[in-house]
């Protein structure tokens, strides 16, 4: 009883700190940034979300449906959507902070270390920036963490409700973030069937409706658009993995009609850039499929013509990757380089909030994460489109491999290293599996804002850091 009350006091401390810190950040000028709704490619036109929500979601093909549906519902049901968005994100942040503490306790980490790392997580610049930014990364990070919590409760009490909540949470992830494919869901289901053989019926019953929900949206896209997928951008993303191929070699292949000249055009262009490859004068009488531009002036990438454009890019990318695997590997290296940049990198998040916490952000990125290493080595790289980038390394190139490798070591030697029991090992396995999945799939298929992928794993990183800190503490106690 004393132990439970002790944990309760720690949690009360976390709640009070979270509330105080958010009030402080608000007072210094941190405000919720809903501007992505106006110009991010991933959102449908706000006008369509407002005036024709459910039909727009039915004909959405560029993204899984859940986040646009969430945004559309808030816009339609509230008079001040920014306040509601902010409230939802704050609740996600508070719950993540508490769950981070509880999962560390479950893994045998002391309350003090768990409390300290939960505070550091809640206070870190990436969390502050993403928590105040209308995009799907923060909710997905929340869902990844809470899914571990539901599985942890199932391990403890074997109640079906916890399995239902677990499968429901990971189905919401699939329906929100493209990188989490239906195959990811199936792999987790098979894994659980393998380790909980006495609970096969519970697992099959619990995953049935969440799986059917995912399948319905995949099948809907197959029936309407001819593709069993929740994202029609695969080709436009994959072509970026061929940018290391020299321009003259691409031009030669175009001249020889081996690939389409679309390979020489930057993806995610305006409709007029692709008139040779697709019809952008369609009349389906469905706004989200017909309009070339959103009301905000940004191209409507949900126009039906972009499906064919993406397929053209995909064919060119497949050919180039097969012909020049060495250049594809260079692109993969660039993807991993971007992945190891700070999650708060200015490539992703700009604007007022970044300016408000700039001194804190500078300390975090420059000193704690090793941005100062740019003084000792850097290079200027120019890509085939003439864009210059400064290449340098930071301490994350050391920190993360150590933390991830430590996680692997715990899976195999956890009982010896930290008295990790079988129930704890199940949660560790899920964490390591998700880290591997996001890291490999993300960096093999896309290059650009790969540090956004890593933010999804940030709570997991803190959990693994907690186990490593506990091991170091035990050795010096």
């Amino acid at each position: 009883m004393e132990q439970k009350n002790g944990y309760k006091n720690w949690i009360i401390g976390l709640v009070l700190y979270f509330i105080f810190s958010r009030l402080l950040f608000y007072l210094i000028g941190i405000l919720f940034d809903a501007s992505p709704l106006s110009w991010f490619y991933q959102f449908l036109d706000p006008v369509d979300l407002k005036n024709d929500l459910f039909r727009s979601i039915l004909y959405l093909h560029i993204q899984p449906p859940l986040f646009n549906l969430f945004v559309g519902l808030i816009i339609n049901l509230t008079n001040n959507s920014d306040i509601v968005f902010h409230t939802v994100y704050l609740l996600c942040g508070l719950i993540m902070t508490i769950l981070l503490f509880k999962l560390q306790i479950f893994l045998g980490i002391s309350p003090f270390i768990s409390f300290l790392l939960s505070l550091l997580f809640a206070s870190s610049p990436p969390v502050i920036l993403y928590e105040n930014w209308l995009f799907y990364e923060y909710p997905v990070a929340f869902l990844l963490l809470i899914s571990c919590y539901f599985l942890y409760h199932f391990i403890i009490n074997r109640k079906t409700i916890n399995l239902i909540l677990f499968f429901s949470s990971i189905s919401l992830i699939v329906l929100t973030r493209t990188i989490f494919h239906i195959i990811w869901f199936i792999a987790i289901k098979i894994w659980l069937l393998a380790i909980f053989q006495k609970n096969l019926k519970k697992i099959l019953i619990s995953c049935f409706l969440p799986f059917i929900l995912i399948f319905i949206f995949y099948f809907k896209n197959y029936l309407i658009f001819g593709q069993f997928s929740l994202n029609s951008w695969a080709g436009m993303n994959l072509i970026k993995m061929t940018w290391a191929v020299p321009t003259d070699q691409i031009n030669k292949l175009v001249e020889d009609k081996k690939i389409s000249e679309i390979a020489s055009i930057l993806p995610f262009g305006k409709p007029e850039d692709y008139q040779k490859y697709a019809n952008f004068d369609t009349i389906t009488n469905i706004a989200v499929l017909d309009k070339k531009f959103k009301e905000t002036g940004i191209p409507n990438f949900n126009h039906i013509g972009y499906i064919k454009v993406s397929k053209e890019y995909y064919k060119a990318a497949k050919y180039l990757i097969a012909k020049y695997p060495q250049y594809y590997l260079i692109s993969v290296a660039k993807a991993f380089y971007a992945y190891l940049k700070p999650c708060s990198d200015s490539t992703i998040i700009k604007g007022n909030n970044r300016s408000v916490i700039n001194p804190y952000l500078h300390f975090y990125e420059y000193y704690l994460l090793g941005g100062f290493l740019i003084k000792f080595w850097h290079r200027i790289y120019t890509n085939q489109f003439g864009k210059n980038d400064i290449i340098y390394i930071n301490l994350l190139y050391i920190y993360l491999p150590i933390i991830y490798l430590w996680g692997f070591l715990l899976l195999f030697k956890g009982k010896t290293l930290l008295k990790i029991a079988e129930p704890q090992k199940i949660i560790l396995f899920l964490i390591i599996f998700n880290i591997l999945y996001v890291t490999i799939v993300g960096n093999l298929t896309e290059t650009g804002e790969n540090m956004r992928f890593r933010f999804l794993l940030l709570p997991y990183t803190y959990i693994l850091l907690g186990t490593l800190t506990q091991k170091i503490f035990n050795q010096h106690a």
Side-chain angles (χ1 to χ4, degrees):
M1 191 71 177
E2 285 182 7
Q3 191 181 55
K4 286 188 178 180
N5 288 334
Y7 293 161
K8 182 180 178 181
N9 291 336
W10 290 105
I11 291 170
I12 290 172
L14 285 174
V15 172
L16 292 175
Y17 174 82
F18 187 90
I19 293 170
F20 173 78
S21 66
R22 270 38 183 184
L23 285 172
L24 180 62
F25 282 118
Y26 174 75
L27 290 173
I28 66 174
I30 294 291
L31 301 173
F32 190 79
D33 180 11
S35 63
L37 179 58
S38 300
W39 64 280
F40 274 27
Y41 299 166
Q42 291 87 348
F43 290 100
L44 291 175
D45 193 329
V47 173
D48 297 321
L49 291 176
K50 178 70 176 176
N51 299 329
D52 196 12
L53 174 60
F54 294 109
R55 192 162 75 137
S56 297
I57 296 299
L58 176 64
Y59 290 100
L60 171 67
H61 59 76
I62 55 173
Q63 290 284 294
L66 194 58
F67 196 67
N68 271 277
L69 178 61
F70 160 72
V71 170
L73 287 173
I74 299 300
I75 291 173
N76 280 278
L77 297 176
T78 62
N79 294 322
N80 195 326
S81 57
D82 286 12
I83 290 178
V84 179
F85 288 138
H86 196 192
T87 302
V88 172
Y89 277 55
L90 284 171
L91 286 173
C92 286
L94 175 59
I95 294 169
M96 272 200 287
T97 302
I98 294 169
L99 295 189
L100 191 61
F101 174 82
K102 288 191 170 186
L103 285 168
Q104 287 180 90
I105 293 294
F106 174 66
L107 291 173
I109 303 166
S110 72
F112 176 75
I113 293 174
S114 302
F115 181 80
L116 182 60
L117 286 175
S118 298
L119 290 186
L120 291 174
F121 169 81
S123 307
S124 66
V127 168
I128 300 304
L129 291 172
Y130 282 78
E131 188 177 273
N132 290 278
W133 190 49
L134 184 61
F135 204 44
Y136 45 56
E137 307 298 13
Y138 205 67
V140 171
F142 163 76
L143 289 168
L144 282 168
L145 189 61
I146 204 169
S147 65
C148 284
Y149 185 70
F150 290 138
L151 183 59
Y152 144 66
H153 269 288
F154 175 72
I155 293 168
I156 297 301
N157 57 34
R158 292 296 197 272
K159 289 184 178 179
T160 305
I161 183 62
N162 291 312
L163 261 186
I164 292 172
L165 291 170
F166 170 75
F167 281 113
S168 296
S169 61
I170 66 171
S171 71
L172 294 180
I173 293 170
V174 175
L175 294 172
T176 303
R177 191 68 164 84
T178 305
I179 193 172
F180 296 98
H181 196 272
I182 191 172
I183 294 173
W184 172 76
F185 183 97
I186 293 171
I188 291 175
K189 181 185 75 172
I190 292 171
W191 166 61
L192 289 179
L193 288 171
I195 62 174
F196 293 113
Q197 295 183 17
K198 293 181 180 179
N199 302 105
L200 294 185
K201 186 177 179 180
K202 285 184 179 180
I203 293 171
L204 292 173
I205 291 173
S206 300
C207 76
F208 181 74
L209 286 179
F211 176 77
I212 290 299
L213 183 62
I214 294 170
F215 184 82
I216 284 171
F217 280 99
Y218 270 83
F219 193 61
K220 179 268 294 184
N221 279 6
Y222 176 74
L223 291 177
I224 297 175
F225 305 113
Q227 53 182 24
F228 193 74
S229 169
L230 296 183
N231 182 313
S232 59
W233 284 356
M236 290 196 281
N237 284 332
L238 193 62
I239 196 68
K240 292 188 286 184
M241 300 300 290
T242 69
W243 284 358
V245 180
T247 305
D248 58 342
Q249 295 188 36
I250 291 178
N251 292 339
K252 180 69 167 59
L253 290 171
V254 170
E255 289 174 10
D256 295 341
K257 300 189 183 302
K258 299 289 187 181
I259 59 171
S260 166
E261 61 185 357
I262 201 171
S264 302
I265 301 173
L266 275 170
F268 298 99
K270 296 178 181 179
E272 52 263 35
D273 298 332
Y274 302 118
Q275 292 295 342
K276 291 174 59 176
Y277 310 103
N279 176 20
F280 281 89
D281 297 314
T282 56
I283 306 175
T284 66
N285 294 316
I286 300 164
V288 294
L289 297 180
D290 284 342
K291 61 170 64 174
K292 298 179 184 179
F293 293 89
K294 303 178 190 179
E295 296 294 324
T296 56
I298 301 298
N300 170 35
F301 291 105
N302 201 71
H303 189 291
I304 197 166
Y306 278 105
I307 295 177
K308 189 171 181 183
V309 167
S310 188
K311 288 179 178 178
E312 288 293 315
Y313 272 124
Y314 189 75
K315 284 191 291 185
K318 276 181 61 179
Y319 185 91
L320 287 170
I321 289 170
K323 186 171 181 62
Y324 301 113
Q326 69 274 28
Y327 292 118
Y328 169 69
L329 291 177
I330 291 173
S331 293
V332 170
K334 291 177 184 176
F336 273 96
Y337 167 76
Y339 177 81
L340 289 168
K341 283 185 175 183
C343 299
S344 52
D345 191 83
S346 59
T347 304
I348 307 171
I349 300 181
K350 304 175 177 67
N352 176 71
N353 288 341
R354 188 176 187 84
S355 301
V356 168
I357 63 167
N358 191 58
Y360 177 38
L361 188 60
H362 176 73
F363 174 79
Y364 175 80
E365 292 185 352
Y366 194 77
Y367 293 103
L368 294 184
L369 302 187
F372 62 84
L373 292 175
I374 193 174
K375 287 187 172 183
F376 301 99
W377 180 87
H378 68 273
R379 290 285 185 273
I380 305 256
Y381 168 77
T382 304
N383 67 21
Q384 69 182 87
F385 300 103
K387 182 182 176 183
N388 290 332
D389 284 317
I390 298 177
I391 298 176
Y392 65 98
I393 60 172
N394 57 56
L395 292 177
L396 286 171
Y397 291 83
I398 300 171
Y399 293 159
L400 283 175
I402 290 174
I403 292 171
Y404 289 175
L405 286 171
W406 165 253
F408 272 105
L409 198 58
L410 277 184
L411 280 181
F412 298 102
K413 299 284 186 179
K415 190 172 182 180
T416 304
L417 292 172
L418 209 59
K419 297 181 180 178
I420 297 291
E422 284 304 315
Q424 297 166 313
K425 192 179 290 187
I426 294 169
I427 296 300
L428 270 175
F429 184 92
L430 181 62
I431 288 172
I432 295 298
F433 170 75
N434 283 334
I435 286 174
L436 271 179
Y437 178 86
V438 172
T439 302
I440 293 172
V441 174
N443 292 321
L444 290 183
T445 58
E446 187 174 349
T447 181
E449 299 176 1
N450 297 56
M451 66 289 288
R452 278 201 291 117
F453 302 150
R454 196 167 54 74
F455 179 80
L456 305 174
L457 308 171
L458 197 60
Y460 291 166
T461 306
Y462 273 83
I463 289 173
L464 293 180
L465 179 60
T467 60
L468 180 57
T469 305
Q470 186 67 57
K471 174 63 178 176
I472 294 169
F473 179 82
N474 290 348
Q475 285 185 326
H476 293 84

